Amino acid sequence: MMKAFYKKYKHGMYVVYYMIFYLCFFFILESFVSTDNVVMTSTWIDNYIPFNEYFIIPYVLWFVFLFCGFCYVIFFDTSGFKRTCFYLFTGMTTCLIIYVIYPTAQDLRPVLTNDNIFQQLVSFIYFVDTPTNVCPSIHVYNAVMLAFSLVKCDSLKNKKVISIFLIILAFFICLSTVMIKQHAFLDIIFALILCVIIYAIGKWKFNF
């Protein structure tokens, strides 16, 4: 039974293989890059964006969104799986290459008093993810492109409520990156530009 299950869904292992590659690459970059040799992406616009620890909720939901999104296309939509892998893996790899060629950072993080669970979660995110390698924002890129890929799935095309929910979720995930000061406004802009480029390549090359 397990053998039949693996044979039917073995394509899902590509996600595991890629995530191992990505995490190794990302954390190696994190260990070598410092704020001394990077370009700061923070601008005057960020001064008008207030810190709000409650946005840690949609920020953390990004991880759940990725997991559930991949599970859906692995088990229910093969064409959607190929499209999702192309969108996310191509974009994430591009971001990693950009981080190597053009290291970036931001200096927007506030001093936290950790007086509630939300600030404690923000502190944890700050601890595990340094304010370097920020532009384009992978958090933003993946949220937008995963939502877009899922909306294009044949099985979800006519489910407008789900489509609207996915778009709203992606919007709040993007907003959360600047509201908890994990990213600067420019990080979002360049992530969205990358979304347009990767989408256009997918449309041209694979008709996604």
Side-chain angles (χ1 to χ4, degrees):
M1 185 175 180
M2 286 298 297
K3 190 174 181 179
F5 178 86
Y6 174 78
K7 187 175 181 180
K8 184 176 181 179
Y9 300 111
K10 64 180 179 180
H11 55 281
M13 291 301 296
Y14 289 111
V15 179
V16 177
Y17 300 147
Y18 181 81
M19 290 311 300
I20 292 173
F21 158 77
Y22 168 79
L23 290 173
C24 290
F25 200 142
F26 183 81
F27 284 112
I28 289 172
L29 282 178
E30 288 281 282
S31 63
F32 280 99
V33 177
S34 70
T35 54
D36 297 327
N37 61 345
V38 297
V39 175
M40 292 294 174
T41 61
S42 47
T43 64
W44 61 270
I45 298 175
D46 296 294
N47 296 329
Y48 293 92
I49 301 174
F51 170 79
N52 188 317
E53 67 263 32
Y54 299 112
F55 274 86
I56 190 63
I57 297 174
Y59 188 88
V60 172
L61 279 177
W62 177 82
F63 299 96
V64 179
F65 185 31
L66 283 187
F67 178 79
C68 293
F70 268 116
C71 283
Y72 183 82
V73 293
I74 287 170
F75 295 116
F76 302 109
D77 196 309
T78 304
S79 61
F81 174 76
K82 294 177 181 178
R83 181 178 59 248
T84 301
C85 286
F86 172 79
Y87 283 163
L88 270 61
F89 296 173
T90 304
M92 293 165 74
T93 304
T94 302
C95 286
L96 292 176
I97 294 172
I98 292 173
Y99 298 159
V100 172
I101 299 172
Y102 196 76
T104 52
Q106 55 91 356
D107 54 358
L108 301 168
R109 292 180 172 184
V111 176
L112 301 176
T113 58
N114 295 328
D115 59 356
N116 59 44
I117 184 63
F118 302 104
Q119 284 199 18
Q120 290 173 16
L121 284 172
V122 174
S123 291
F124 176 74
I125 293 298
Y126 285 179
F127 175 74
V128 298
D129 191 1
T130 68
T132 59
N133 302 318
V134 292
C135 187
S137 166
I138 291 178
H139 224 78
V140 169
Y141 176 85
N142 279 358
V144 172
M145 293 305 276
L146 178 58
F148 189 73
S149 185
L150 291 174
V151 166
K152 293 186 74 173
C153 287
D154 292 335
S155 54
L156 296 177
K157 278 183 178 178
N158 297 321
K159 294 181 170 58
K160 291 187 177 180
V161 174
I162 294 177
S163 296
I164 292 172
F165 170 77
L166 293 173
I167 292 170
I168 292 174
L169 177 60
F171 171 78
F172 275 99
I173 289 174
C174 293
L175 185 59
S176 73
T177 63
V178 291
M179 296 300 290
I180 68 167
K181 301 300 179 178
Q182 184 66 3
H183 281 282
F185 179 74
L186 278 182
D187 303 338
I188 292 182
I189 297 302
F190 281 100
L192 294 178
I193 292 173
L194 183 61
C195 287
V196 174
I197 293 171
I198 299 300
Y199 170 78
I201 293 173
K203 190 74 174 176
W204 164 65
K205 192 70 177 176
F206 304 106
N207 197 31
F208 283 149

